[in-house]
């Protein structure tokens, strides 16, 4: 779909559940134009000159935070890097008061990552600035899903009819949730793969479920590996790490049974040797570093579009 076929109307990007296929494709098409900017010797465009973006990250992050910072600067915006430790939040100020004070200083866009689901939505109802969700609790991580489907579309041309397996700790993954929404709306057939102890209730999600990686590996066009989020677990959901790797790890042996052109993606950080062997993560089928590159263009597109939304 060509950019401009629909009008962008969303001031915030809080999640992908309510997005239409056309809206997702508009973001991807806009990102494609910004990807060209990132290939120039001078990687700058003036579309957000005079705008101020604040990165409010309440959870540790390397890829997402740096990606948003680069995206903002390549759009010529001014960037404030917010940290809780050096803010009035450490003295008892509320998040909303902090956000309102930042807005009073002229902030136009707020990028927020928070361990409590729904925080970006609460913020969007309380301030006039645009709000972009960079990951909230167990809820969603929409820009990760967008860069994932962008990377898949770049390789295959379309997601229509593709068989995609999302493998690992589904229960604790906001990436998995956002990817299910994005991938299925773009026409892919998604299977969630993992042990029953890491599989949440599926409800009305348009997905299949498998507790056996070996049963489905041969049919997949894309495998989206996830790490086990031990920091979110209150007990061990499987006998041992070795047993998990044997059943759900993307090993060289398992890759021999996969399609020759299968695409391997991972949101990071990776537990090398557990959910994925290093030789696979760094192999010919891996698009993991491509995801990182594409993340900048996708986030440029998101920041650009929400900043242009009608009041």
């Amino acid at each position: 779909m060509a950019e401009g076929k629909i009008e962008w109307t969303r001031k915030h990007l809080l999640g992908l559940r309510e997005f239409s296929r056309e809206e997702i494709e508009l973001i991807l098409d806009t990102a494609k134009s910004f990807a060209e900017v990132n290939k120039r010797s001078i990687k700058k465009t003036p579309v957000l000159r005079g705008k101020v973006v604040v990165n409010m990250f309440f959870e540790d992050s390397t890829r997402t935070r740096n990606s948003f910072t680069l995206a903002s600067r390549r759009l010529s915006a001014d960037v404030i890097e917010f940290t809780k430790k050096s803010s009035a939040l450490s003295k008892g100020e509320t998040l909303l008061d902090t956000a309102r004070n930042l807005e009073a200083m002229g902030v136009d866009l707020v990028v927020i990552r928070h361990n409590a689901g729904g925080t970006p939505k609460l913020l969007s109802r309380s301030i006039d600035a645009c709000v972009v969700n960079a990951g909230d609790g167990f809820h969603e991580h929409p820009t990760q899903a967008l860069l994932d489907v962008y990377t898949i579309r770049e390789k295959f041309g379309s997601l229509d009819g593709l068989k995609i397996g999302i493998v690992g700790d589904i229960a604790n993954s906001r990436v998995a949730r956002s990817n299910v929404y994005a991938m299925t709306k773009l026409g892919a057939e998604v299977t969630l793969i993992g042990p029953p102890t890491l599989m949440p209730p599926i409800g009305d999600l348009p997905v299949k479920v498998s507790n056996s990686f070996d049963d489905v590996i041969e049919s997949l066009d894309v495998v989206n590996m996830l790490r086990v989020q031990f920091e979110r677990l209150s007990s061990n959901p499987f006998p041992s790490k070795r047993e998990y790797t044997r059943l759900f790890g993307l090993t060289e042996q398992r890759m021999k049974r996969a399609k020759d052109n299968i695409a391997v993606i991972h949101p990071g950080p990776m537990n090398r040797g557990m959910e994925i062997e290093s030789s696979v993560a760094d192999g010919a089928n891996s698009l993991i570093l491509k995801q990182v590159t594409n993340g900048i263009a996708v986030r440029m597109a998101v920041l650009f579009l929400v900043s242009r939304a009608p009041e």
Side-chain angles (χ1 to χ4, degrees):
M1 173 182 152
E3 184 184 345
K5 287 283 183 70
I6 66 166
E7 182 183 355
W8 181 266
T9 60
R10 296 183 186 268
K11 185 179 177 181
H12 312 290
L13 178 65
L14 306 177
L16 299 178
R17 184 169 192 163
E18 308 303 325
F19 272 54
S20 67
R21 174 173 181 149
E22 290 74 23
E23 287 174 305
I24 292 171
E25 288 180 332
L26 177 56
I27 296 172
L28 303 185
D29 291 339
T30 305
K32 188 175 181 181
S33 65
F34 283 124
E36 296 303 313
V37 173
N38 291 329
K39 294 175 184 176
R40 300 175 189 167
S41 56
I42 300 176
K43 300 174 175 61
K44 281 262 191 177
T45 179
V47 295
L48 288 190
R49 183 174 292 158
K51 300 287 186 180
V52 181
V53 178
V54 59
N55 285 332
M56 301 182 75
F57 277 64
F58 294 85
E59 290 182 327
D60 292 338
S61 170
T62 301
R63 281 160 300 279
T64 303
R65 182 171 199 146
N66 289 337
S67 185
F68 268 113
T69 297
L70 277 171
S72 301
R73 288 179 176 161
R74 288 182 182 180
L75 294 171
S76 301
D78 296 316
V79 183
I80 298 172
E81 298 290 353
F82 173 93
T83 55
K84 181 180 178 180
K85 219 180 283 186
S86 61
S87 75
L89 282 171
S90 63
K91 302 174 184 176
E93 184 173 80
T94 69
L95 171 62
L96 290 182
D97 280 337
T98 298
R100 285 167 180 153
N101 276 283
L102 287 167
E103 188 175 47
M105 296 176 194
V107 167
D108 302 288
L109 300 99
V110 176
V111 177
I112 183 165
R113 169 173 284 194
H114 203 281
N115 56 9
T119 300
K121 188 172 185 177
L122 173 66
L123 206 57
S124 72
R125 292 173 172 174
S126 307
I127 62 176
D128 290 330
C130 303
V131 177
V132 176
N133 181 4
D136 62 327
F138 295 93
H139 179 227
E140 281 208 50
H141 192 349
T143 60
Q144 179 66 49
L146 289 167
L147 72 89
D148 288 349
V149 295
Y150 181 96
T151 303
I152 295 167
R153 192 178 76 158
E154 187 177 48
K155 175 178 173 63
F156 292 100
S158 169
L159 272 72
D160 282 310
L162 289 183
K163 293 187 176 181
I164 301 177
I166 303 178
V167 186
D169 185 358
I170 310 296
N172 294 300
S173 177
R174 55 196 174 203
V175 173
R177 286 167 178 76
S178 289
N179 263 332
V180 166
Y181 301 140
M183 290 170 176
T184 55
K185 285 174 182 177
L186 293 177
E189 179 185 299
V190 176
T191 302
L192 304 180
I193 305 159
T197 50
L198 292 176
M199 194 67 64
I202 300 305
D204 60 355
L205 288 177
V207 296
K208 297 180 179 180
V209 174
S210 176
N211 299 130
S212 172
F213 199 0
D214 288 324
D215 283 353
V216 296
I217 182 68
E218 293 176 10
S219 67
L220 299 177
D221 300 294
V222 181
V223 60
N224 183 179
M225 302 305 298
L226 303 173
R227 74 181 179 91
V228 176
Q229 300 189 39
F230 289 106
E231 71 276 12
R232 296 182 186 268
L233 299 176
S234 55
S235 61
N236 200 338
F238 41 82
S240 68
K241 292 181 179 179
R242 179 178 293 180
E243 180 72 0
Y244 180 88
T245 300
R246 185 180 72 81
L247 294 174
F248 298 104
L250 192 58
T251 60
E252 277 193 47
Q253 197 62 34
R254 199 159 265 130
M255 282 290 286
K256 289 177 182 176
R257 299 180 48 219
K259 293 180 180 180
D260 289 341
N261 70 333
I262 189 172
V264 176
I265 63 174
H266 194 305
M270 292 183 284
N271 290 319
R272 287 174 180 261
M274 186 175 171
E275 77 267 10
I276 188 167
E277 284 188 353
S278 286
S279 56
V280 179
D282 302 327
N285 296 87
S286 174
L287 301 179
I288 294 170
L289 290 180
K290 194 69 176 168
Q291 289 173 269
V292 177
T293 300
N294 291 337
I296 299 172
V298 166
R299 290 172 175 126
M300 287 172 76
V302 167
L303 293 170
F304 169 74
L305 287 169
V306 296
S307 72
R308 291 297 191 272
E311 292 293 334

